Amino acid sequence: MKLHWKILIGMVLGVAFGFLMNQMGQKEFVSDWVKPFGTIFINVLKMIAMPLILASIITGLADLKDFSKISKMGGKTIAYYLCSTAIAVSFGLLLANIVNPGSFVNDGARTTLLETFSGDATVKIEAAQAARETSPLQPLVDMVPDNLFFAMTNNGSMLQVIFFAILFGIALILIPEEKSKGVTAFFSGLNDVVLKIIDIIMFTAPLGVFSLLAALIVEIPDASLLSGLVVYAITVAVGLLLMLFLFYPTLLYLFARIGPVRFFKAMMPAQLLAFSTSSSAATLPVTMERATEHLGVDDDAASFVLPLGATINMDGTALYQAVAAIFIAQVMNIDLTISEQLMIIVTATLASIGSAAVPGAGMVMLVIVLAQAGIPEAGLALIFAIDRPLDMLRTVINISSDTTAAVIIASGEGLMKDPSTLDPYAEDILS
Ligand code: ASP
């Protein structure tokens, strides 16, 4: 059976098991005995992310051998990321204005939501405080580690490790080949080992997603709180799904002549994992493995475009931030002018870049979008109850956008593998 079917079955069984345990009043059993397996699964994925980034970027750059090619690819990657994110935000704004989801929340629901989740909202608002008090150039400063080994021990410092790996890869190209040979061979071997470890981890993915989803279901908040949020949630979901099924497939076909079936067949396990973990960073190893070994993006392009994308390119998060900001403004009876809405395109694009690739990070950075637009930050409490499922979906969009970029850039540089050379048994851990 194909891996994505196994993962899907794990997800469905996890949801069913979660509901059953809920009915039987056994929430604690799930938290104590099932959830830990989900946590182990996420940990093991995160564990492999740093070695993968280091090995794959260094190997990719060393293989490219050509400095001008690297800078050209870098420029294209950043341009794609900025454009696709700005398009996603604009699309979100358009949808929120057409649907007007705020008009579906009555005064009673608004008061209940604000009261129930004000504590949770305060935690997020405080988390955003640090980002707000710094210089606008702080993200640039944060990219450069002052201690490489410290950065490598902190999953939040992925961008710093990417920075070092790029520098290392470039230096490797610049030294004589007889000296670089051994180092390149070492990282190339390490890269293969890491990819094999990912295959082994994915072998346990069905169990991992089962545990994650079962744990999620028993933690769902009271359904009565969700009724006013249905239209808002549908607006976000429709926007995200249109990006996934219309926008990216169109780009892939136009720029790389890759059809949706090939794309989804290759990427589905990574997308299902993004959905189950709500973390682009935890999904990154699988995104890279699927993009290179199943979709056919050459390692040289994928190794550079995907880790960068996982940390800074978040179309799904940006679209969600736009809809959420407009929704909160609507519920709080705040009229936003056209120019204020246009400013949201800029702030949500930047806020999504600044969002960490972990669950719930998009909501922290939403605080900054709200503040810029003059919308009370306490309004964050309104969307709390429904945030997790939307986070799951936006993470799928985030990694799909990264992969689309990798394909388009690789195809522009002639770095797509011939599909007939791809190994259909690549997901078999013994192959
Ligand atoms: N969970 C998202 C990701 O990892 C970020 C977010 O929107 O919260 O891509």
Side-chain angles (χ1 to χ4, degrees), residues 277-282 310 313-314 316-318 320-321 355-364 387 390-392 394-396 398-399:
T277 61
S278 284
S279 168
S280 307
N313 180 45
M314 303 212 179
T317 302
Y320 144 85
Q321 286 171 337
S355 301
V358 296
M363 201 183 206
V364 173
D387 201 63
L390 296 180
D391 190 6
M392 297 159 83
R394 63 190 190 241
T395 309
V396 177
N398 290 345
I399 69 139

Side-chain angles (χ1 to χ4, degrees), residues 380-401:
L380 209 62
L382 293 168
I383 56 168
F384 233 92
I386 196 79
D387 201 63
R388 184 59 196 238
L390 296 180
D391 190 6
M392 297 159 83
L393 201 56
R394 63 190 190 241
T395 309
V396 177
I397 313 310
N398 290 345
I399 69 139
S400 301
S401 174

